[in-house]
């Protein structure tokens, strides 16, 4: 509940000493409170505090702070906390149960605003926050396990985006396969990060059931075509995003097709990351020869080639920041997990179909 606005008291006239106003008392009378600042001034300060404070703390201080927290200036930088629906995997008799946990921030948000847990959705939350930017958002980090509806909404609600982070995998999620359709909405896009949350899925997978929970199944695609998805995204960037300079991809397969797309379609690229992915040696040669404007290139924990030798390092000599640190790589296990998840989707469908047939048989 919001606190009532405090009444402003008119300062009394400062005392005079031998015809001179007391400077000490004069300074005190000019002292202003935070809540008395103009809304735009407060909004400029609040823009730096982060989403959790904007939603869970500042609006409950006083009416003026609540009003300032609604100013679009506060919502130009949209970084959604991690969304961790639990469980992702479950037993046969639980696959139709609704998810009950969403991660620390969202659970706190539900309690603070007294929302019924069964009525909360990440789609509604993304819409609520994105609408507050009034089209002025320039930075957007979407939560993992997003939805197609939420992604389509932000493509319309945030036309001024410069930087976009979408950590959901390009293979197993339905909504990631429509990114290429939406890129044209972001004419000013300069930076794109894709993938990276399969590691969290792997943690939940170990020993937690042989079926997908209902919510996770609803997000999952039946197609296994990461290469086609990535190539289509790169093509649309080349067509629509003339200021694009920074591309970061995690946990995916980068083949010759994608490498040539990067080289030919993004000639002005200055920052490139292909971390925790698979890339063959010949493909790496293609990128190093073709991307002549790169300032940084990150190949951490990639597989498909041995440690960089003299020949590769010579080709990369024009890149001021070149990272190629080797180490344990989960790409193979993560790739296997993607296949398992898609198989689980089919198991869910078969289980439900069998349940319907049994019900019809016993009627």
């Amino acid at each position: 509940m919001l606190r009532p606005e405090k009444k402003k008291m008119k300062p009394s006239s400062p005392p005079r000493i031998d015809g001179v106003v007391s400077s000490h008392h004069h300074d005190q009378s000019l002292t202003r409170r935070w809540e008395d600042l103009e809304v735009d001034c407060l909004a400029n300060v609040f823009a730096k505090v982060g989403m959790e404070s904007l939603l869970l703390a500042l609006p409950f201080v006083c009416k003026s702070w609540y009003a300032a927290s609604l100013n679009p200036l506060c919502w130009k930088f949209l970084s959604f906390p991690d969304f961790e629906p639990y469980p992702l995997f479950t037993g046969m008799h639980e696959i139709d149960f609704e998810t009950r946990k969403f991660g620390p921030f969202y659970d706190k948000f539900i309690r603070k605003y007294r929302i019924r847990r069964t009525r909360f959705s990440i789609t509604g939350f993304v819409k609520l926050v994105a609408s507050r930017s009034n089209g002025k958002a320039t930075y957007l980090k979407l939560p993992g396990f997003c939805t197609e509806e939420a992604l389509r909404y932000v493509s319309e609600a945030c036309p001024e985006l410069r930087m976009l982070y979408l950590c959901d995998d390009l293979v197993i999620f339905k909504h990631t396969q429509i990114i290429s359709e939406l890129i044209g909405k972001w004419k000013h896009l300069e930076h794109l990060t894709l993938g990276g949350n399969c590691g969290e899925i792997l943690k939940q997978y170990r020993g937690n059931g042989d079926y997908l929970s209902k919510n996770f199944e609803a997000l999952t695609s039946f197609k296994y075509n990461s290469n086609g998805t990535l190539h289509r995204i790169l093509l649309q960037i080349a067509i629509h995003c003339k200021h694009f300079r920074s591309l970061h991809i995690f946990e995916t397969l980068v083949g010759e097709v994608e490498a040539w797309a990067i080289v030919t379609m993004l000639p002005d690229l200055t920052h490139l990351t292909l971390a925790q992915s698979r890339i063959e040696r010949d493909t790496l040669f293609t990128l190093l020869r073709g991307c002549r404007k790169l300032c940084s290139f990150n190949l951490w924990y990639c597989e498909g080639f041995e440690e960089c030798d003299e020949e590769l390092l010579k080709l990369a000599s024009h890149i001021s920041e070149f990272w190629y640190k080797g180490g344990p790589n989960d790409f193979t296990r993560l790739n296997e997990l993607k296949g398992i998840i898609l198989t689980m989707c089919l198991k869910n469908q078969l289980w439900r179909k069998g349940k319907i047939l049994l019900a019809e048989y016993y009627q």
Side-chain angles (χ1 to χ4, degrees):
M1 183 176 292
L2 299 178
R3 297 178 184 174
E5 187 176 12
K6 297 178 182 178
K7 294 183 179 180
K8 299 178 183 179
M9 302 298 293
K10 184 178 179 180
S12 58
S13 300
R16 293 177 176 271
I17 303 175
D18 294 332
V20 179
V21 178
S22 170
S23 60
H24 176 71
H25 191 94
H26 182 65
D27 290 342
Q28 286 185 331
S29 68
L30 293 179
T31 301
R32 299 182 65 183
R33 297 172 298 180
W34 273 94
E35 60 267 33
D36 295 334
L37 284 175
E38 296 292 335
V39 171
D40 285 350
C41 293
L42 284 172
N44 279 312
V45 175
F46 292 171
K48 305 178 187 301
V49 301
M51 191 175 295
E52 184 167 355
S53 294
L54 279 170
L55 289 171
L56 302 181
L58 300 180
F60 297 91
V61 173
C62 62
K63 289 184 178 180
S64 62
W65 282 34
Y66 169 70
S69 72
L70 298 177
N71 191 306
L73 291 174
C74 295
W75 303 94
K76 293 181 69 174
F77 188 92
L78 305 181
S79 182
F80 287 86
D82 290 336
F83 179 66
E84 302 166 359
Y86 185 87
L88 297 179
F89 304 92
T90 185
M92 181 176 65
H93 301 296
E94 301 170 331
I95 66 174
D96 286 325
F97 286 1
E98 291 286 347
T99 298
R100 290 294 184 269
K101 295 181 181 179
F102 308 105
F105 167 79
Y106 298 97
D107 290 339
K108 188 175 180 181
F109 177 83
I110 289 169
R111 292 193 300 270
K112 189 79 170 180
Y113 287 90
R114 300 180 182 179
I115 299 170
R116 298 180 69 175
R117 193 168 287 273
T118 55
R119 300 188 63 181
F120 177 82
S121 74
I122 192 60
T123 300
F125 184 82
V126 169
K127 287 183 174 182
L128 167 71
V129 172
S131 65
R132 291 191 174 186
S133 72
N134 196 27
K136 298 183 184 298
T138 58
Y139 176 104
L140 174 62
K141 176 186 175 292
L142 283 168
F145 306 98
C146 199
T147 64
E148 180 176 338
E149 184 181 352
L151 187 55
R152 289 190 183 278
Y153 183 86
V154 297
S155 71
E156 298 288 346
C158 306
E160 299 296 323
L161 281 188
R162 266 69 169 173
M163 306 180 76
L164 174 63
Y165 291 73
L166 182 62
C167 65
D168 288 327
D169 184 75
L170 295 177
V171 174
I172 62 176
F173 290 100
K174 288 189 292 189
H175 60 276
T176 59
Q177 299 183 19
I178 67 164
I179 296 174
S180 57
E181 299 177 28
L182 307 179
I183 287 291
K185 307 283 187 179
W186 298 305
K187 306 291 185 183
H188 307 288
L189 193 67
E190 300 172 6
H191 174 111
L192 178 64
T193 296
L194 297 170
N197 72 342
C198 269
E200 294 301 317
I201 297 173
L202 183 61
K203 290 177 184 177
Q204 287 201 35
Y205 169 68
R206 292 167 178 155
N208 285 321
D210 298 322
Y211 294 82
L212 299 185
S213 65
K214 184 177 180 180
N215 286 342
F216 191 22
E217 180 189 2
L219 300 175
T220 308
S221 170
F222 284 88
K223 298 178 182 179
Y224 195 96
N225 188 20
S226 63
N227 288 1
T229 300
L230 180 56
H231 184 267
R232 289 193 298 272
I233 292 171
L234 296 175
L235 177 60
Q236 294 304 311
I237 289 173
I239 294 172
H240 299 287
C241 309
K242 303 305 179 183
H243 303 289
F244 193 84
R245 298 292 182 272
S246 181
L247 177 65
H248 304 270
I249 305 170
F250 295 83
E251 299 170 353
T252 193
L253 175 64
V254 181
E256 277 293 318
V257 173
E258 291 71 39
W260 275 109
I262 292 172
V263 169
T264 58
M265 297 178 187
L266 307 176
D268 296 322
L269 200 65
T270 57
H271 298 84
L272 177 62
T273 297
L274 301 174
Q276 298 172 323
S277 298
R278 180 172 182 84
I279 177 171
E280 300 293 340
R281 180 183 173 85
D282 290 343
T283 304
L284 183 53
F285 270 100
T286 299
L287 289 168
L288 289 173
R289 288 193 182 105
C291 298
R292 303 306 301 174
K293 294 186 179 181
L294 283 184
C295 298
S296 69
F297 191 5
N298 188 333
L299 288 168
W300 275 22
Y301 304 112
C302 283
E303 67 176 37
F305 66 95
E306 299 298 328
E307 287 289 328
C308 287
D309 53 29
E310 290 184 9
E311 190 176 7
L312 283 171
L313 291 174
K314 185 177 180 180
L315 280 175
S317 60
H318 66 285
I319 304 173
S320 57
E321 297 179 355
F322 183 50
W323 294 286
Y324 54 91
K325 181 179 179 180
N329 189 320
D330 283 337
F331 179 81
T332 301
R333 281 193 297 165
L334 295 178
N335 216 37
E336 291 173 353
L337 176 64
K338 296 174 189 180
I340 291 170
I341 289 171
L342 298 179
T343 302
M344 285 181 171
C345 279
L346 295 175
K347 286 178 67 176
N348 279 26
Q349 297 297 322
L350 290 172
W351 183 84
R352 289 198 180 94
K353 187 173 183 180
K355 190 176 178 181
I356 292 171
L357 290 174
L358 282 173
E360 291 176 350
Y361 178 81
Y362 284 110
Q363 279 183 351

